[in-house]
């Protein structure tokens, strides 16, 4: 009987992190300020390092992106004429290279014609993609059928450039607390009214009768310029020991365009009424 081979193509895209498999990129993103250079161009670089026991060849290519209202990177694959598209101003070398024996490869960028960029933030992402796809043979669970998985991976390094009069300004529009079975979910909406992204950190405090009974970190996120961000995450209830009324106080911090630390604080109330005697 003839053996059947089923091939599947699977592509993975990652924003670069130090924890990504055997590939390490330093730094993992570039945030540049054109106002800090006197000329009409600036330079930057990042290092790429692979595993000591692996040889892999990469090609590099740019893409334009926007930050979505969910805080994700929306890649614009087609050629974009957006004024904040940085691709037309960037040259990089090399555009293809081989990593082997754990050696580092430096990728250098030159961003030119700064004076013709708009005020505010411009952006792009540089993708590192392996040239040769990997083939993995997988059992299919069917007699005389073999599945071959063709895997291609690429790693993205975001590049942001602020120029001229740029503003980083955010506010909390709404926090909502939703019950889902025995769990509580924090639904958060923020607004960025500036022309440059806002990167924030934050914490949530659980308060009862004006006393702090618990505190935890919320997810770090990025709000796109002149955009909104909507997120949802669980509220840990391990510090809540009794039924009753509680306050959730949200404290969010970000750095504005002048390097000043800004704090946003907003509260909402919720009720716990489903704790049993055994849980208490």
């Amino acid at each position: 009987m003839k053996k059947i081979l089923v091939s599947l193509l699977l592509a993975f895209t990652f924003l670069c992190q130090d924890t990504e498999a055997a590939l390490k990129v330093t730094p993992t993103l570039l945030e540049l300020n054109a106002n800090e250079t006197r000329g009409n161009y600036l330079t930057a670089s990042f290092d790429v390092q692979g595993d000591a026991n692996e040889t892999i060849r990469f090609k590099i290519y740019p893409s334009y992106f926007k930050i979505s209202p969910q805080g994700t990177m929306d890649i614009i694959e087609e050629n974009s004429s957006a004024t904040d598209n940085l691709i037309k101003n960037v040259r990089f070398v090399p555009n293809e290279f081989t990593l082997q024996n754990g050696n580092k490869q430096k990728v250098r960028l030159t961003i030119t014609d700064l004076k013709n960029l708009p005020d505010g933030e411009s952006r792009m992402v540089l993708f590192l993609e392996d040239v040769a796809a990997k083939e993995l043979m997988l059992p299919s669970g069917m007699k005389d059928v073999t599945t071959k998985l063709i895997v291609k991976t690429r790693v993205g390094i975001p590049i942001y450039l602020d120029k001229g009069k740029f503003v980083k300004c955010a506010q909390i529009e709404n926090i909502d607390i939703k019950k889902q079975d025995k769990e509580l979910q924090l639904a958060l909406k923020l607004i960025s009214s500036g022309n440059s992204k806002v990167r924030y950190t934050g914490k949530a405090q659980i308060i009862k009768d004006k006393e702090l009974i618990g505190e935890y970190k919320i997810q770090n996120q990025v709000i796109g310029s002149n955009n909104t961000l909507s997120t949802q995450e669980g509220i840990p209830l391990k510090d809540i020991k009794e039924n009753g009324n509680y306050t959730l106080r949200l404290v969010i911090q970000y750095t504005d365009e002048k390097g000043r630390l800004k704090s946003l604080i907003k509260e909402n109330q919720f009720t716990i009424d489903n704790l049993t005697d055994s849980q208490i």
Side-chain angles (χ1 to χ4, degrees):
M1 183 179 296
K2 188 176 180 180
K3 197 168 186 178
I4 301 174
L5 179 65
V6 179
S7 296
L8 301 175
L9 176 63
L10 187 62
F12 293 100
T13 298
F14 302 102
L15 291 185
C16 191
Q17 299 176 358
D18 288 343
T19 55
E20 279 307 329
L23 187 68
K24 181 178 181 179
V25 179
T26 309
T28 57
L29 60 87
L30 294 175
E31 295 180 307
L32 308 171
N33 188 341
N35 297 341
E36 296 176 352
T37 183
R38 295 182 179 180
N40 196 28
Y41 72 96
L42 59 79
T43 59
S45 66
F46 59 88
D47 291 321
V48 187
Q49 185 177 22
D51 188 82
N53 301 315
E54 185 178 31
T55 297
I56 185 169
R57 188 160 183 82
F58 285 100
K59 62 179 179 180
I60 305 180
Y61 58 91
S63 290
Y64 172 60
F65 74 93
K66 295 182 178 181
I67 300 173
S68 76
Q70 290 73 45
T72 59
M73 178 184 287
D74 278 354
I75 304 298
I76 313 299
E77 297 290 356
E78 69 274 8
N79 292 330
S80 174
S81 59
T83 58
D84 58 0
N85 185 348
L86 196 56
I87 292 177
K88 61 186 179 299
N89 297 81
V90 175
R91 303 293 180 269
F92 55 89
V93 290
N95 55 22
E96 195 166 316
F97 60 89
T98 299
L99 289 179
Q100 57 185 355
N101 301 325
N103 294 326
K104 289 183 180 180
Q105 171 67 53
K106 185 175 290 292
V107 178
R108 293 180 170 85
L109 300 88
T110 301
I111 304 177
T112 62
D113 200 22
L114 298 177
K115 66 181 181 181
N116 286 323
L117 287 171
D119 282 359
E121 176 190 281
S122 299
R123 77 198 75 81
M124 60 176 278
V125 56
L126 274 183
F127 282 118
L128 280 65
E129 184 175 300
D130 54 345
V131 173
K134 298 179 178 65
E135 295 184 357
L136 300 176
M137 305 303 294
L138 303 175
S140 67
M142 300 175 61
K143 186 178 181 181
D144 298 322
V145 175
T146 300
T147 301
K148 179 170 68 176
L149 188 64
I150 303 173
V151 180
K152 289 186 69 70
T153 61
R154 67 178 186 176
V155 174
I157 299 92
I159 301 170
Y160 301 91
L161 177 72
D162 286 319
K163 179 245 178 177
K165 186 177 181 180
F166 64 93
V167 177
K168 296 178 180 288
C169 182
Q171 64 185 52
I172 302 173
E173 181 177 88
N174 185 56
I175 60 173
D176 192 16
I177 300 172
K178 302 178 180 179
K179 286 187 178 181
Q180 294 185 354
D181 297 326
K182 294 184 178 181
E183 296 182 350
L184 290 180
Q185 293 285 323
L186 168 65
L188 172 64
K189 184 174 182 181
L190 299 101
I191 297 176
S192 167
S193 56
N195 58 2
S196 180
K197 73 182 182 310
V198 171
R199 190 183 303 277
Y200 72 83
T201 60
K203 63 182 179 180
Q205 299 174 327
I206 299 175
I207 299 166
K208 180 173 174 53
D209 298 328
K210 298 183 179 181
E211 291 187 8
L212 179 67
I213 65 169
E215 183 175 282
Y216 67 95
K217 291 182 179 180
I218 63 171
Q219 297 173 4
N220 300 342
Q221 294 282 4
V222 179
I223 319 170
S225 56
N226 292 303
N227 206 341
T228 63
L229 174 73
S230 297
T231 68
Q232 186 164 311
E233 59 183 279
I235 300 174
L237 303 178
K238 59 183 179 60
D239 296 313
I240 296 179
K241 307 301 182 183
E242 59 181 328
N243 292 321
N245 297 320
Y246 293 84
T247 296
L248 186 76
R249 176 184 294 156
L250 205 59
V251 182
I252 287 177
Q253 294 185 317
Y254 70 93
T255 302
D256 71 6
E257 69 281 357
K258 295 183 179 179
R260 299 171 301 195
L261 186 64
K262 298 289 187 177
S263 295
L264 307 174
I265 301 175
K266 201 175 185 67
E267 297 180 350
N268 204 346
Q269 284 70 48
F270 64 96
T271 300
I272 297 294
D273 56 10
N274 57 358
L275 288 179
T276 63
D277 290 339
S278 61
Q279 289 176 305
I280 298 174

